[in-house]
Amino acid sequence: MSGAPLDLVIVGAGFSGLYMLHKARELGFSARVLERGDDVGGTWFWNRYPGARCDVESTQYCYVFSEELQRDWTWSERYSAQPEILAYARFVADRLDLRRDIAFGCEVATASFDAATNLWAVSAADGQKFVARFVVMATGPLSSASLPAIAGLEAFAGKVLRTSAWPEQGVDLSGRRVAVIGTGSTGIQLIPELAKTAERLFVLQRTPNYSVPARNRPLDRETAEEWKGSFREKRALAKTRPSGTIYRVNDRSALSVDADERERVFEDRWQYGGAGMVVAFNDLTRDEKANETVAAFVRAKIAETVKDQRIAAALTPTDYPLGAKRICLDTGYFDTFNRDNVELVDLRERPIGSLDATGIHVGSDHIDVDTIVFATGFDALTGAITAIRITGPDGSSLREQWAAGPRTYLGLMTAGFPNLFIVAGPGSPSVLTNFFVSIEQHVEWIAACIDALRAGGHTRIEADKAAQERWGDHVNEVASRTLYMKAASWYLGANVPGKPRIFMPYAGGVPAYFALCQEVAADGYRGFTLG
Ligand code: NAP
């Protein structure tokens, strides 16, 4: 890249990067998106495994910034499947003519800030170079896969697949002997699909998960039209909710009603389907005793669904609250264990030893398989950022600065790295919310900030260390009051060996966080230094 520096380099062409590019253009900034994949869509480009589906309702899991996009796109199901969400990303890219400013197959390797010019030099793995005034990390929270190091992987003679990089042309696993490692949201969606055609399916589970039925169904025309006609009001309402998502609210404590009433409310939500189960009462996410009532309800459902009670027990989470890890939504997951061709391997009883040419040693047994699927999660929130060698003006590395856990101011910037923004970064509500709500808010905040810098004749903005420390302490303090701290989740980095256990997203909820961001900007970017 030669010539004048760009205003923005945006890393990632998922939904954050696409909107950031559009917004930058709207304000007359030059921008280039660098995307390692060969199409738009981010997480929905990579995670194309069978059964991949959103766990937020389609009517809410979309942009609202454009009347035209709302008008001309109609979702076909209550919860969109991956192909439809990817088609939506392509539709947006084409409709807004975004592709001409996206470099595909361009994996960012380094970014370094030059204090003399206030410019970022960005280089890609293939040697391409870019210079920009601002860098926006639109890298997504779940885009750096975490793959366990299992001894003997190279000796395995069969097929190895990763849900996070599923072959674009698909894979036919019918008639095969398959092992799936991992029973998070991904495994729980994948397993029922593979079970339909595999000769044998071994489900290797380390920790059982709470899952509730999605009850996906076609989206009827009336509902779709109703949302199209009121999407702005609906989004405004969503922003008044802690998770930025509209669920039926019940402002009663689970402990204020009798057991029959609780059962009635839980059963109603179980039949309706979806993550609204977590807010069936107002204290399920805060009070351990209240949480135990919903956890017990879901445990009873597992026992009711799975015929073999020994298997049901192994599938039942008992040692952490429901919702402390992100709740999973499924379509026939627990039923799958009633099939003759499916076997649950409880890794707590029979841990993975090593692989050999024909399969996996678990405990003292050997499982003969010809395909192994890793559904083992992500180095969440930080992995995609620290994978890039980012150096600040004094040569210090972001990876090193975050070695003890990420520190940011509002999840938007990190001290010591001027002009580097993060969309929905650690320290913002991010993964605890409907991601589209968080994306739009952050992109709009960043765009307005860069616009304000231009208007004020500034070329540089940086988060103050003191403001960042205060914010980090607040993020920790808020998290410490929640039940999130009671599970070994990816929110806490607990799924990646050696990762510091810090609760990364901000659990203070959308309304308070959005209001604070607005206030900070209105107050001349309080907590930031402009230069
Ligand atoms: P995850 O929730 O982190 O689950 C990973 C699974 O792999 C867990 O069961 C984990 O066990 C297991 N695992 C990891 N390392 C292992 C090892 N060394 N040996 C054995 N098992 C191991 O990851 P995910 O399922 O990909 O989901 C991540 C997030 O992505 C979700 O929480 C959700 O936010 C998002 N997602 C959303 C959807 C959707 O919209 N419906 C779908 C998929 C994913 P432990 O629990 O014991 O660590």
Side-chain angles (χ1 to χ4, degrees), residues 44 49 53-55 142 148 181-187 189 206-207 209 325-326 347 352 375-378 490 495:
W44 299 104
Y49 58 86
R53 190 177 288 288
C54 192
D55 58 8
L142 295 162
I181 306 177
T183 54
S185 296
T186 300
Q189 291 185 330
R206 193 165 63 180
T207 311
N209 248 310
K325 289 183 175 204
R326 187 175 168 108
L347 298 176
I352 296 179
T376 46
F378 300 88
W490 58 261
N495 62 325

Side-chain angles (χ1 to χ4, degrees), residues 43-44 47 49 51-56 61 79-80 85 142 146-150 163-164 181-189 204-209 320 325-329 347 352 374-378 380 431 488-491 494-497:
T43 197
W44 299 104
N47 290 269
Y49 58 86
R53 190 177 288 288
C54 192
D55 58 8
V56 175
Y61 193 77
Y79 295 102
S80 315
I85 305 177
L142 295 162
S146 166
L147 295 170
I150 299 179
T163 48
S164 57
I181 306 177
T183 54
S185 296
T186 300
I188 281 176
Q189 291 185 330
L204 277 61
Q205 170 195 273
R206 193 165 63 180
T207 311
N209 248 310
Y320 64 94
K325 289 183 175 204
R326 187 175 168 108
I327 188 86
C328 301
L329 302 193
L347 298 176
I352 296 179
F374 284 88
T376 46
F378 300 88
V431 290
S489 69
W490 58 261
Y491 294 144
N495 62 325
V496 176

Side-chain angles (χ1 to χ4, degrees), residues 9 54 70 261 265 274 298 342 430 437 497:
V9 154
C54 192
Q70 275 286 327
E261 172 62 4
V265 170
V298 173
V342 174
S430 148
V437 173

Side-chain angles (χ1 to χ4, degrees), residues 23 69 125 159 204 260 274 298 339 363 390 412 429 468 501:
K23 206 68 203 153
L69 295 180
K159 201 186 271 295
L204 277 61
D260 286 350
V298 173
R339 298 177 65 110
I390 300 175
L412 280 159
Q468 174 168 290
R501 290 210 178 190

Side-chain angles (χ1 to χ4, degrees), residues 219-483:
L219 187 65
D220 62 89
R221 211 181 159 71
E222 220 169 82
T223 308
E225 289 307 320
E226 205 256 310
W227 276 81
K228 277 173 189 277
S230 58
F231 69 92
R232 284 194 212 286
E233 294 84 339
K234 292 261 188 349
R235 184 57 58 90
L237 174 64
K239 287 180 181 176
T240 67
R241 303 285 170 80
S243 69
T245 318
I246 302 173
Y247 295 116
R248 276 181 302 156
V249 175
N250 179 2
D251 205 17
R252 282 182 309 168
S253 156
L255 305 175
S256 70
V257 300
D258 63 21
D260 286 350
E261 172 62 4
R262 271 198 301 270
E263 182 76 12
R264 195 193 60 70
V265 170
F266 291 146
E267 183 63 31
D268 178 46
R269 296 214 175 206
W270 184 266
Q271 294 309 330
Y272 182 72
M277 184 64 91
V278 183
V279 290
F281 289 96
N282 68 6
D283 49 358
L284 300 179
T285 58
R286 293 186 269 118
D287 183 306
E288 229 168 334
K289 239 174 120 189
N291 188 282
E292 181 53 27
T293 64
V294 68
F297 176 85
V298 173
R299 288 184 202 125
K301 286 291 186 191
I302 299 171
E304 213 175 89
T305 310
V306 180
K307 291 191 183 118
D308 181 331
Q309 287 307 296
R310 200 182 43 85
I311 300 172
L315 285 167
T316 301
T318 52
D319 54 1
Y320 64 94
L322 181 148
K325 289 183 175 204
R326 187 175 168 108
I327 188 86
C328 301
L329 302 193
D330 72 273
T331 302
Y333 177 64
F334 293 114
D335 270 319
T336 301
F337 294 91
N338 294 328
R339 298 177 65 110
D340 292 338
N341 66 334
V342 174
E343 184 178 323
L344 180 69
V345 179
D346 187 344
L347 298 176
R348 293 170 305 180
E349 283 179 2
R350 296 187 282 168
I352 296 179
S354 60
L355 302 184
D356 59 20
T358 58
I360 312 176
H361 292 279
V362 288
S364 55
D365 300 329
H366 183 270
I367 304 171
D368 263 1
V369 288
D370 53 41
T371 307
I372 298 175
V373 181
F374 284 88
T376 46
F378 300 88
D379 183 356
L381 285 135
T382 56
I385 298 172
T386 55
I388 299 171
R389 195 151 51 78
I390 300 175
T391 42
D394 63 358
S396 58
S397 121
L398 187 143
R399 197 179 295 161
E400 276 161 29
Q401 296 228 353
W402 283 12
R407 284 300 243 195
T408 68
Y409 181 38
L410 298 172
L412 280 159
M413 295 193 96
T414 185
F417 299 87
N419 296 3
L420 178 83
F421 293 96
I422 308 167
V423 179
S428 75
S430 148
V431 290
L432 302 180
T433 69
N434 171 1
F435 213 57
F436 268 92
V437 173
S438 286
I439 285 174
E440 288 198 344
Q441 183 252 350
H442 262 199
V443 166
E444 285 160 16
W445 192 97
I446 293 166
C449 175
I450 296 175
D451 195 30
L453 293 176
R454 176 174 60 185
H458 299 289
T459 55
R460 182 172 159 142
I461 180 167
E462 182 177 347
D464 295 343
K465 194 138 199 243
Q468 174 168 290
E469 289 310 306
R470 278 195 303 277
W471 180 248
D473 292 347
H474 175 62
V475 170
N476 290 338
E477 195 270 320
V478 171
S480 72
R481 286 188 262 125
T482 68
L483 298 184

